[in-house]
Amino acid sequence: QVQLVQSGPEVRKPGASVTVSCKSSGYTFTDYSVYWLRQAPGQRLEWMGWINTDNGDTKYSQTLQGRVTIIRDTFANTAYMQLTSLTSEDTAIYYCARGGISMIGTTAHGWVDPWGQGTLVTVSS
Amino acid sequence: IQLTQSPSFLSASVGDRVTITCRASQDIGSYLAWYHQKPGNAPKLLIYAASTLKSGVPSRFSGSGSGTDFTLTISRLQPEDFATYYCQQLTTYPITFGQGTRLEIK
């Protein structure tokens, strides 16, 4: 079955960086994009960016531009998200998710499914 | 694009029919998805393109709307439906989510 498995929890000090991995299985990795999202305590879900796993093109949230980098390894069917210059406000559960497109009539509609299990990143001094 | 869900909290009983509303700050056509999330788990897709049920999702779930106003309806609540529900727009970057509707057992 389609599955995205993320790396384990991380604890970092303010100013440090963190990298979270996301290994996909059960489908052709390069046929779908990979999204990264996060959920901070008490906050709504936040989209961070996505990567076209076929050609490596990326799109990032402007609020995180310059701090977030998403890459992929097509041989390992794995995507990676690096976030730098961490502050306590980056404490959150980080999710990767498969992004796809379905045609309804002549219109392409995006969807995001399934999601990885989530990775808790804690930023604390 | 801001998405505002109502209500933020909903208390209902098994067998009830419930409706959750999602309002967008500008026209998003039908580029809206619905998810539910149980504590400790990742969100799961229910509906995309405003009204298309993901394969395998029970038919008691339905979505409607276009433009700025959307609804998610659960026709007969089952115990496994008690969760938090989110809407998501995918028409414009940044992709955004509603604040969530927490559905609890009465």
Side-chain angles (χ1 to χ4, degrees):
Chain A
Q1 76 280 23
V2 175
Q3 208 172 2
L4 284 76
V5 178
Q6 300 179 221
S7 49
E10 304 275 8
V11 179
R12 293 286 185 274
K13 293 190 183 303
S17 299
V18 70
T19 298
V20 180
S21 68
C22 171
K23 183 171 178 60
S24 300
S25 61
Y27 70 98
T28 301
F29 182 65
T30 51
D31 283 350
Y32 299 85
S33 57
V34 172
Y35 283 65
W36 286 91
L37 312 100
R38 67 180 181 178
Q39 190 170 35
Q43 302 295 314
R44 66 180 69 193
L45 288 157
E46 178 185 5
W47 170 77
M48 302 177 68
W50 65 267
I51 186 165
N52 180 321
T53 53
D54 189 32
N55 61 20
D57 284 350
T58 53
K59 182 80 172 176
Y60 299 124
S61 166
Q62 283 194 329
T63 60
L64 295 171
Q65 193 88 30
R67 291 207 298 135
V68 63
T69 303
I70 300 172
I71 62 172
R72 94 287 190 219
D73 178 343
T74 57
F75 295 103
N77 291 347
T78 300
Y80 301 87
M81 185 282 300
Q82 180 186 59
L83 189 61
T84 62
S85 302
L86 294 168
T87 73
S88 59
E89 295 190 348
D90 293 314
T91 294
I93 298 174
Y94 288 75
Y95 294 102
C96 64
R98 184 180 70 159
I101 293 176
S102 295
M103 295 301 297
I104 299 176
T106 57
T107 305
H109 283 273
W111 44 263
V112 182
D113 180 70
W115 297 43
Q117 84 277 17
T119 296
L120 176 62
V121 174
T122 304
V123 183
S124 173
S125 54
Chain B
I1 295 175
Q2 301 250 10
L3 297 179
T4 304
Q5 292 180 229
S6 61
S8 294
F9 179 83
L10 184 56
S11 180
S13 301
V14 172
D16 283 355
R17 175 187 178 93
V18 298
T19 297
I20 298 168
T21 296
C22 178
R23 175 161 289 177
S25 59
Q26 61 190 73
D27 190 337
I28 61 170
S30 58
Y31 294 92
L32 188 99
W34 289 97
Y35 299 81
H36 68 174
Q37 183 181 32
K38 295 185 179 180
N41 291 321
K44 292 185 177 179
L45 178 68
L46 296 170
I47 287 169
Y48 64 97
S51 60
T52 301
L53 215 60
K54 175 196 165 185
S55 176
V57 172
S59 58
R60 63 181 180 272
F61 290 92
S62 63
S64 64
S66 66
T68 60
D69 294 304
F70 302 85
T71 59
L72 171 70
T73 299
I74 311 172
S75 59
R76 289 177 306 279
L77 276 173
Q78 298 300 301
E80 60 268 29
D81 299 335
F82 292 93
T84 299
Y85 290 80
Y86 296 96
C87 57
Q88 175 201 37
Q89 67 82 17
L90 300 99
T91 187
T92 304
Y93 291 109
I95 292 169
T96 51
F97 291 82
Q99 81 280 15
T101 295
R102 187 175 167 190
L103 175 56
E104 291 203 342
I105 300 176
K106 186 181 288 185

